[in-house]
Amino acid sequence: MTDQNSGRRNGVTLSSEPVLSLSKGRAVAGAVQYGFQCEECEQAIFPATTRSELAWLRERLHVVREVAKHAQTGLDTWMLEGLEFLERHSGHSVVLVSRAGARPTSA
Ligand SMILES: [Zn+2]
C-alpha cells in the first residue's frame, strides 16, 4: 500500500490581458489622394476616400444611382460627390487619378 498523495494543483491563472479593440475606421492615406478626372472637361474631384472605393463606385454607378434616389441622406459625402461627378460627365472619359496630398495641382 502506497500512500500517494499527489496533490498537484492545476492552478488556473486568469490572464488579465487587455482586449484588443479593432478600430474599423477607414484609413485615408494622408500622402496620396485619389479622385476622378474627366479628360474632356479637365475637371477633377478628390473625395475623402480610398482608391478602391472610387473604383467600386464607378463600377457600381448604376446601383449607387438607384440607392441615392431612395436614400439621399444616407450616403457618405464622398459617394455623393463621386456620383454627382460621374453623372455630370457621363459619356465622357473619366479616369481614376491620384495626386500628392500636399501639392496643389495646376493642370
Ligand atoms: Zn466631362
Side-chain angles (χ1 to χ4, degrees), residues 20-31:
L20 287 175
S21 59
L22 296 170
S23 61
K24 286 204 80 178
R26 180 188 298 141
V28 177

Side-chain angles (χ1 to χ4, degrees), residues 1-105:
M1 257 198 169
T2 41
D3 231 328
Q4 254 186 346
N5 201 0
S6 57
R8 207 199 294 167
R9 268 186 209 159
N10 244 346
V12 179
T13 48
L14 293 170
S15 60
S16 60
E17 290 173 36
V19 180
L20 287 175
S21 59
L22 296 170
S23 61
K24 286 204 80 178
R26 180 188 298 141
V28 177
V32 183
Q33 289 179 302
Y34 296 99
F36 293 127
Q37 183 175 9
C38 178
E39 293 183 318
E40 297 182 41
C41 308
E42 293 190 351
Q43 288 180 357
I45 55 162
F46 293 90
T49 188
T50 59
R51 187 186 190 282
S52 56
E53 288 193 302
L54 290 175
W56 171 88
L57 178 64
R58 196 172 61 164
E59 280 176 30
R60 307 277 199 290
L61 179 61
H62 56 287
V63 177
V64 180
R65 189 191 294 140
E66 287 301 310
V67 173
K69 275 184 194 168
H70 300 290
Q72 286 192 335
T73 53
L75 297 178
D76 289 345
T77 309
W78 68 266
M79 225 182 261
L80 291 172
E81 284 179 29
L83 182 64
E84 192 206 26
F85 187 87
L86 290 171
E87 291 282 281
R88 208 189 315 148
H89 300 277
S90 65
H92 297 183
S93 110
V94 175
V95 292
L96 258 170
V97 291
S98 65
R99 69 173 181 185
R103 200 188 314 153
T105 50

